[in-house]
Amino acid sequence: MSIEILPAQLANQIAAGEVVERPASVIKELVENSLDAGATNIKIQIEKGGAKRIKISDNGSGISKAELALALSRHATSKIKTLNDLEGISSLGFRGEALASISSVSRLTLTSKPADQESAWQASAEGRDMAVDIKPAAHPTGTTIDVQDLFFNTPARRKFLRTDKTEFTHIEEVIKRIALACLDVTFVLMHNDKIIRQYRAANTKAQCAKRVAQICGQKFIEHAIEVECQHDDLHFSGWLAKPSFARNQNDLCYSYVNGRMMRDKLINHAIRQAYSDLLPLDTYPAFVLFLTLNHRDVDVNVHPAKHEVRFHQGRYIHDFIFSVCQRALLDEGVVQASLNELHDQGTYESVNREPPYQANSLHQAHQAEPVEQEAQSYIKPLSYVGEASRAQYSPSYSGNQSARLSTKQQNAYYQLMSNDAEQKGGELSGSAASNHSTGNVHSDDSQLNNNSHSEENNSSTGILGNVIDNLSVLHIVQDTHALVLFNKELRLLSLAKLEANVCIGELQSKWDAGFVSQPLLLPVKIELDKIQLQFLELNQSYFERLGIIVNIVNNNAIQIRQFPALLRNKDVTNSFSHIIDAVFKRNEANELTEADWLLAVISLLQPSSYTTEITHTLFNRLKNSQSNVIDQLLLLNSTPVDLTSELEQLM
């Protein structure tokens, strides 16, 4: 067989096979043309599911008489002119194939009038000969395209069309998707002379939310988290439904890149990964999300129907979307609330019991497995702050290392920790004594039976036995204190203060070398008042030793670019605010010491309550890191329990 150039009509019909899949495809191409022309009011009229007639009218810029015939030619477009334009496409359409392909399989009439033209003109073409007939017409400024008898000259294609109802459902979905992307444009959709959908232009936040509710449902808006993040040229915004609004089908998954509706695998994967295991099996998230970036950083010319794009920095975009969505889901207790709802629904076992970024106390870091790298793959590798920080990082400490805390530093710390020790101890001692005498103190006997760390010497009573020489832990009181027998004396021990003592010894070596710092993918902007900003500037070197690297943006805002790896599971904004408030208050009372800075970090790492297991781990750390001052620490952080009055009442 010889090689020949195909006739124009056949070539256009082949191209139509890619562009014109069904009536909904025609509407997508024509409405996008209207949007590229700057239309703010678009009316779509459908007859018999689009097979009989598709008429689209807009108030866009229009097409001049001289270009009407050219507009129906193949590869004719006003969107791009050079190869350089192709590398930065800002319009929805650009190939110049839509009108030619549609006119090759239908009877098409194009009527248009630019604002600077006195009258309108009309161009007509039919699939048989592709000849274009131009004549004057009456029409306001804008364009109307009338497509009749779709696939009239390709019976095989027409045979594959579904029922009118099915085809119109596809059309309705296309209009919904476009209406979500162009909130400032009015859309009217009619079927068989009846108005089915009418979306009025939305110009305020409330109006935008109302349109989203109109398209996606009011329940979606009620369960949605509004997302907005700007980072360099990237802008990500929209609505992300809570995990409790999980869907059985992916009918509410709307993502857009530079205003173009997408079904991109990379975007969908990033969003799905942000939900992690928060969704039950066989369910889908719901979202309406918009990504805007430099047009030259994305290639839209990779899919026949332009449903997918290729990002020049795909991994970076994926991680950006993932991190923003995950942060939104974790904010304001959304994850915990969702877990509770899933638990109520009986699907709790299919999700992680602990969110990826839930706060972990320091005792967990000593016994837990390393943080799962896959969940935090968007974070850059760890780096040290300062030249002195080349020393190897070690999570465990020997007794010799704890001796690095000088006597002066210990005394300063002890003074800080013991200011209110007797007051708080006294408040609890009465309660402990009363509970002890009546036998109502909580004892975790079930954990005792399963505790693999039981001491060989079980002659002393208590939930932990003799955890340290001359010390037995009898009961945990109010989840924060322990009733102990120390040197045959009953005492109430503050577990929080004891752990702070242990932590300050462990973190001293990190302070000397500089804490391990972790760069953030997205710098966090925080507003400060003038006094706080001045304090930050004066003490910036101390913040850097903690691993907190900041840039001062203006007179009332900073940008955090790196944060301590030790606090990787904490919210950056809340943690920084806590640290600066803590050291600022200490600074108002006395001159800041190293202990003050360490205590600010330690307070973020301590658990809110102490179980038997946590308490056991704490005492093991005490033996390993503070063996030379154990007795001193136990006495300093405890108060005697006097049962004299209780005993007298029993006499």
Side-chain angles (χ1 to χ4, degrees):
M1 298 177 65
S2 60
I3 299 174
E4 297 181 9
I5 296 177
L6 297 176
Q9 180 186 1
L10 180 57
N12 283 330
Q13 288 191 350
I14 293 173
E18 294 181 350
V19 177
V20 186
E21 179 186 358
R22 62 194 329 155
S25 308
V26 174
I27 290 169
K28 173 185 175 294
E29 297 292 338
L30 298 182
V31 171
E32 286 182 348
N33 280 345
S34 296
L35 293 171
D36 286 337
T40 58
N41 200 317
I42 301 175
K43 185 177 182 180
I44 306 103
Q45 296 171 270
I46 308 298
E47 291 184 20
K48 293 189 176 180
K52 180 174 178 60
R53 190 181 193 186
I54 298 171
K55 185 179 180 182
I56 298 177
S57 304
D58 66 56
N59 62 343
S61 58
I63 305 172
S64 65
K65 175 188 176 184
E67 295 178 345
L68 276 179
L70 194 60
L72 298 180
S73 302
R74 196 177 178 199
H75 303 309
T77 181
S78 61
K79 316 294 174 61
I80 58 175
K81 304 294 182 185
T82 65
L83 183 61
N84 188 52
D85 296 334
L86 189 62
E87 295 175 355
I89 297 169
S90 59
S91 58
L92 296 174
F94 57 88
R95 292 177 182 149
E97 291 182 329
L99 290 178
S101 298
I102 294 168
S103 64
S104 70
V105 291
S106 67
R107 296 184 173 92
L108 185 145
T109 302
L110 170 61
T111 308
S112 188
K113 177 188 176 297
D116 57 357
Q117 190 170 285
E118 291 185 1
S119 60
W121 290 82
Q122 186 179 89
S124 302
E126 291 190 8
R128 289 175 301 190
D129 50 14
M130 296 295 294
V132 179
D133 179 32
I134 298 178
K135 60 184 180 181
H139 193 277
T141 299
T143 302
T144 294
I145 299 181
D146 194 349
V147 178
Q148 298 186 36
D149 300 328
L150 187 64
F151 300 136
F152 78 99
N153 57 349
T154 52
R157 298 287 304 279
R158 192 178 183 90
K159 183 176 64 175
F160 284 98
L161 291 180
R162 303 299 181 185
T163 63
D164 294 351
K165 183 179 179 181
T166 300
E167 294 298 339
F168 183 75
T169 300
H170 286 283
I171 292 170
E172 195 174 11
E173 180 62 24
V174 167
I175 298 303
K176 283 182 180 180
R177 287 182 171 272
I178 297 176
L180 283 173
C182 307
L183 298 173
D184 57 343
V185 178
T186 297
F187 293 90
V188 178
L189 175 61
M190 301 179 66
H191 190 210
N192 298 331
D193 298 326
K194 293 181 181 179
I195 296 179
I196 306 299
R197 299 287 177 188
Q198 185 170 9
Y199 304 118
R200 300 185 186 279
N203 298 310
T204 66
K205 240 181 179 182
Q207 290 174 343
C208 290
K210 187 176 180 180
R211 174 178 280 196
V212 173
Q214 188 180 0
I215 295 172
C216 301
Q218 185 62 36
K219 286 189 177 180
F220 171 79
I221 285 293
E222 291 172 357
H223 289 80
I225 310 160
E226 194 165 351
V227 176
E228 183 157 14
C229 182
Q230 177 79 44
H231 179 60
D232 295 336
D233 290 336
L234 296 177
H235 181 255
F236 192 60
S237 62
W239 293 265
L240 192 67
K242 299 175 185 177
S244 58
F245 193 69
R247 309 281 292 177
N248 292 326
Q249 53 187 356
N250 61 345
D251 57 336
L252 286 181
C253 298
Y254 298 111
S255 59
Y256 302 86
V257 177
N258 289 340
R260 187 188 304 277
M261 54 183 178
M262 286 288 116
R263 292 193 187 99
D264 191 77
K265 294 178 182 177
L266 182 143
I267 296 173
N268 290 338
H269 181 270
I271 297 170
R272 180 75 194 206
Q273 190 178 26
Y275 281 88
S276 187
D277 294 327
L278 298 174
L279 293 175
L281 294 175
D282 301 324
T283 62
Y284 299 88
F287 53 84
V288 178
L289 297 169
F290 307 92
L291 176 65
T292 305
L293 70 164
N294 191 311
H295 296 289
R296 295 192 174 276
D297 291 338
V298 58
D299 186 0
V300 300
N301 190 27
V302 296
H303 190 277
K306 294 170 280 191
H307 287 157
E308 295 181 6
V309 294
R310 182 177 293 123
F311 297 102
H312 292 181
Q313 300 182 66
R315 182 63 187 175
Y316 176 65
I317 299 296
H318 177 281
D319 294 346
F320 172 72
I321 295 172
F322 164 75
S323 60
V324 174
C325 291
Q326 187 181 61
R327 179 178 298 175
L329 290 170
L330 293 175
D331 278 351
E332 300 176 5
V334 168
V335 169
Q336 190 58 47
S338 300
L339 291 177
N340 292 339
E341 290 184 26
L342 290 173
H343 182 274
D344 294 339
Q345 297 167 9
T347 56
Y348 182 68
E349 293 299 327
S350 66
V351 300
N352 286 342
R353 295 184 179 273
E354 183 175 327
Y357 285 84
Q358 192 173 13
N360 293 327
S361 56
L362 188 63
H363 78 275
Q364 291 170 312
H366 280 262
Q367 62 182 12
E369 293 92 54
V371 178
E372 190 175 321
Q373 294 299 322
E374 183 180 355
Q376 300 188 26
S377 61
Y378 65 91
I379 299 179
K380 296 180 182 178
L382 300 180
S383 62
Y384 284 89
V385 177
E387 290 295 324
S389 62
R390 295 179 181 273
Q392 184 177 2
Y393 169 79
S394 175
S396 60
Y397 300 89
S398 64
N400 293 334
Q401 285 173 306
S402 65
R404 297 184 62 181
L405 191 61
S406 67
T407 304
K408 181 180 178 181
Q409 291 167 338
Q410 288 186 35
N411 291 338
Y413 170 71
Y414 294 154
Q415 184 178 1
L416 291 170
M417 294 299 296
S418 62
N419 284 338
D420 60 342
E422 292 196 7
Q423 179 182 354
K424 290 189 176 179
E427 292 173 359
L428 285 168
S429 61
S431 172
S434 175
N435 288 338
H436 181 72
S437 64
T438 57
N440 290 331
V441 181
H442 172 68
S443 175
D444 202 343
D445 295 327
S446 61
Q447 292 191 31
L448 171 64
N449 295 334
N450 297 325
N451 197 335
S452 61
H453 302 287
S454 299
E455 300 291 334
E456 293 181 3
N457 183 4
N458 292 322
S459 59
S460 299
T461 60
I463 59 174
L464 293 180
N466 291 338
V467 292
I468 294 177
D469 291 342
N470 301 322
L471 176 73
S472 295
V473 178
L474 304 178
H475 295 286
I476 305 297
V477 182
Q478 294 186 4
D479 295 333
T480 55
H481 291 67
L483 193 64
V484 300
L485 192 63
F486 180 55
N487 289 333
K488 300 182 179 180
E489 181 183 20
L490 192 64
R491 301 182 70 88
L492 189 66
L493 176 66
S494 172
L495 297 174
K497 293 182 182 297
L498 180 64
E499 181 167 27
N501 275 275
V502 175
C503 290
I504 203 168
E506 294 171 342
L507 296 180
Q508 179 61 35
S509 61
K510 293 183 177 63
W511 174 263
D512 293 341
F515 279 40
V516 179
S517 182
Q518 200 161 19
L520 303 175
L521 174 66
L522 303 176
V524 177
K525 187 176 180 181
I526 298 178
E527 293 186 358
L528 300 176
D529 57 40
K530 289 184 179 180
I531 298 176
Q532 288 177 319
L533 193 60
Q534 290 174 359
F535 175 79
L536 176 63
E537 290 176 333
L538 290 173
N539 297 277
Q540 195 158 357
S541 60
Y542 290 100
F543 281 98
E544 289 178 358
R545 292 182 76 174
L546 289 180
I548 302 174
I549 308 299
V550 303
N551 290 340
I552 297 176
V553 179
N554 51 45
N555 293 332
N556 63 351
I558 62 167
Q559 228 182 24
I560 300 178
R561 305 196 70 86
Q562 293 182 223
F563 211 63
L566 195 64
L567 303 176
R568 64 165 61 88
N569 294 329
K570 301 287 185 179
D571 178 81
V572 174
T573 301
N574 294 337
S575 298
F576 179 81
S577 298
H578 176 89
I579 291 172
I580 195 170
D581 287 344
V583 293
F584 186 75
K585 288 178 181 177
R586 295 285 188 187
N587 185 57
E588 290 179 336
N590 299 294
E591 185 178 351
L592 288 174
T593 65
E594 293 178 11
D596 292 316
W597 293 94
L598 293 176
L599 283 173
V601 175
I602 290 168
S603 60
L604 289 168
L605 298 170
Q606 290 180 298
S608 58
S609 61
Y610 289 81
T611 62
T612 305
E613 184 180 358
I614 294 175
T615 304
H616 188 278
T617 303
L618 172 60
F619 282 115
N620 283 338
R621 289 166 54 202
L622 177 63
K623 287 191 293 185
N624 293 333
S625 63
Q626 304 282 352
S627 58
N628 56 334
V629 289
I630 287 179
D631 287 359
Q632 184 180 359
L633 290 176
L634 290 173
L635 288 172
L636 178 67
N637 295 288
S638 65
T639 184
V641 175
D642 186 5
L643 299 178
T644 303
S645 61
E646 281 76 8
L647 290 172
E648 289 178 353
Q649 292 178 10
L650 296 175
M651 292 297 184

